[in-house]
Amino acid sequence: MSTPMTDVVGTADPSEHSDDHTHGASDKQYFQVFWVLVVLTALEVSTYWWEDWFGESAHKVAVPLLIVLMLVKFFLVALFFMHLKFDNPMLRRIFWFGAIVAMAVYAGALTAMNFWQDSGTTRFNDPPPAHSSQIGGSDAEATPGAGSGTTESGG
Amino acid sequence: MADVTYSDLAGHDLPAEAHVTSTGISNEKLGMWVYLASDCLLFGGMISTYLIYKNRPGEIEGLAGNADKMSDHFDIPFTSMTSFILLMSSLTMVLAVNSIARKDLTRTRMWLVATAVLGSLFLGGQVYEFTEFVHAGLGFTTNVASSAFFALTGLHGVHVAVGVIMLLVTVALSFRRRIHPESVEVVGLYWHFVDIVWVLIFTIIYLIP
């Protein structure tokens, strides 16, 4: 929507401007998006108790679901509240480019640090547990499970 | 609000303060988006750092610390409540942006103040949460995981505090009749970004085991 950039509110007479200057969604649509976000957040929070309700295997469903819900919430806020859906397409391109590059960079960094195969050992470049036991290295002994905290504190 | 092209301006007698950009996007808005993009990288780096350290507290050779994990001390119901408060503040922020676009200055001020109050409540919750962690023996230097956690959530808190100041300054300026619709929109962009970062932090740091 094209509107003059010089409408400084407070100096102009409101009666002279009867047109709607909003270039995003209406208040009602924002409330709808908000309630969707509330429901998604409630669903996210409920996963905290899933293990008590459905047993230990619940986290196999909960973790992927949490990631999907997080992304949906992220996009809802970006598209509607930040006006990316209604704004200049160039801003959308800047946003997607930055988001994709950031995700790629940090996925690469986490991969380099063996994050996806977290053996819980003290060194980041340890091989994963299965590989450690095959080679019979000392790392196999130092694999107490992720974050078990069995190693001595550094002081 | 800012999407003005050269063709839109043909035949218009523009005031001296008007400016046109080749992209059709005002410099203020584009500048805010570029800043937010750089902030994405900052928060991405800090989230990654916490993810790498979270299961290895006190286990990094040469670094001091005990083996207490942050996640053992999370109070999810409480943090959920503060997350909901921040979510509500995003709604009040867009309502402020819509109000200023309709030139309804009274409602704009009301929604901006509401957003600032909700942001302050979130900050109060974060201070309470940090205090609880410290009482439980988890300070900034307790171990690498706690350092990464406090640095990440503390930086987010600083962003919220700066946002609250921006909101209050905007309200104050509105009484001097110097408020521009796009100023509110740019402050709104910053505020929603702070909310979006918390969406990521809340899920990745707090909820995913």
Side-chain angles (χ1 to χ4, degrees):
Chain A
M1 175 179 172
S2 297
T3 46
M5 298 171 66
T6 53
D7 288 346
V8 179
V9 176
T11 57
D13 180 1
S15 62
E16 292 175 9
H17 298 270
S18 57
D19 53 329
D20 184 2
H21 284 244
T22 58
H23 73 307
S26 64
D27 286 0
K28 189 182 171 187
Q29 286 171 311
Y30 283 135
F31 269 100
Q32 287 170 344
V33 172
F34 171 72
W35 285 116
V36 171
L37 289 168
V38 168
V39 170
L40 295 180
T41 304
L43 186 57
E44 274 187 332
V45 173
S46 75
T47 61
Y48 176 65
W49 290 280
W50 279 17
E51 212 165 288
D52 297 336
W53 298 342
F54 308 117
E56 280 192 17
S57 58
H59 77 273
K60 288 178 184 169
V61 180
V63 173
L65 180 69
L66 280 170
I67 292 170
V68 170
L69 291 175
M70 177 188 75
L71 291 174
V72 171
K73 285 172 66 182
F74 180 93
F75 290 129
L76 280 176
V77 174
L79 291 175
F80 287 93
F81 288 178
M82 295 178 87
H83 289 170
L84 275 183
K85 186 175 164 61
F86 316 103
D87 229 324
N88 191 309
M90 176 180 274
L91 294 176
R92 219 173 305 156
R93 287 196 286 271
I94 291 173
F95 177 78
W96 294 130
F97 177 77
I100 291 168
V101 168
M103 279 192 279
V105 165
Y106 293 115
L110 291 171
T111 304
M113 304 293 262
N114 277 347
F115 174 75
W116 313 112
Q117 51 196 29
D118 188 357
S119 61
T121 55
T122 57
R123 282 172 290 164
F124 294 123
N125 291 324
D126 288 343
H131 183 60
S132 300
S133 59
Q134 280 172 14
I135 61 174
S138 58
D139 286 339
E141 294 171 14
T143 310
S148 64
T150 54
T151 53
E152 290 180 18
S153 79
Chain B
M1 246 165 275
D3 302 346
V4 182
T5 61
Y6 286 106
S7 57
D8 294 328
L9 300 172
H12 287 74
D13 187 20
L14 294 174
E17 67 267 26
H19 67 277
V20 184
T21 62
S22 59
T23 56
I25 306 167
S26 73
N27 293 335
E28 291 83 357
K29 192 193 254 185
L30 190 60
M32 178 53 83
W33 273 105
V34 171
Y35 163 71
L36 296 182
S38 70
D39 233 15
C40 274
L41 292 170
L42 177 66
F43 276 108
M46 301 198 80
I47 290 172
S48 301
T49 305
Y50 177 75
L51 289 178
I52 288 165
Y53 284 137
K54 70 173 185 176
N55 285 334
R56 299 179 171 91
E59 296 178 6
I60 310 301
E61 205 171 321
L63 290 179
N66 64 31
D68 211 0
K69 290 205 293 185
M70 291 303 300
S71 53
D72 293 338
H73 298 272
F74 287 159
D75 183 353
I76 298 298
F78 179 79
T79 313
S80 304
M81 195 180 67
T82 56
S83 301
F84 179 72
I85 288 171
L86 201 60
L87 200 60
M88 268 203 301
S89 75
S90 261
L91 176 67
T92 54
M93 188 69 236
V94 283
L95 294 177
V97 173
N98 264 6
S99 298
I100 193 74
R102 286 193 296 261
K103 303 193 185 308
D104 185 345
L105 207 52
T106 309
R107 281 183 193 274
T108 303
R109 287 184 190 129
M110 183 184 82
W111 291 126
L112 287 175
V113 169
T115 309
V117 168
L118 290 169
S120 303
L121 277 174
F122 174 84
L123 280 176
Q126 200 166 39
V127 169
Y128 170 78
E129 187 187 35
F130 282 9
T131 309
E132 290 295 301
F133 287 143
V134 171
H135 286 162
L138 277 167
F140 186 68
T141 56
T142 303
N143 57 45
V144 283
S146 72
S147 294
F149 174 84
F150 281 112
L152 169 62
T153 53
L155 182 73
H156 180 267
V158 169
H159 275 72
V160 176
V162 170
V164 169
I165 292 168
M166 287 165 73
L167 289 165
L168 295 177
V169 167
T170 308
V171 172
L173 285 177
S174 76
F175 285 104
R176 297 178 64 184
R177 295 177 169 264
R178 283 168 51 190
I179 192 168
H180 191 290
E182 193 167 83
S183 305
V184 180
E185 193 182 353
V186 169
V187 172
L189 281 177
Y190 176 85
W191 193 262
H192 297 310
F193 175 77
V194 167
D195 182 33
I196 241 177
V197 170
W198 189 255
V199 165
L200 301 181
I201 291 176
F202 181 57
T203 305
I204 295 174
I205 307 300
Y206 285 87
L207 291 178
I208 293 180

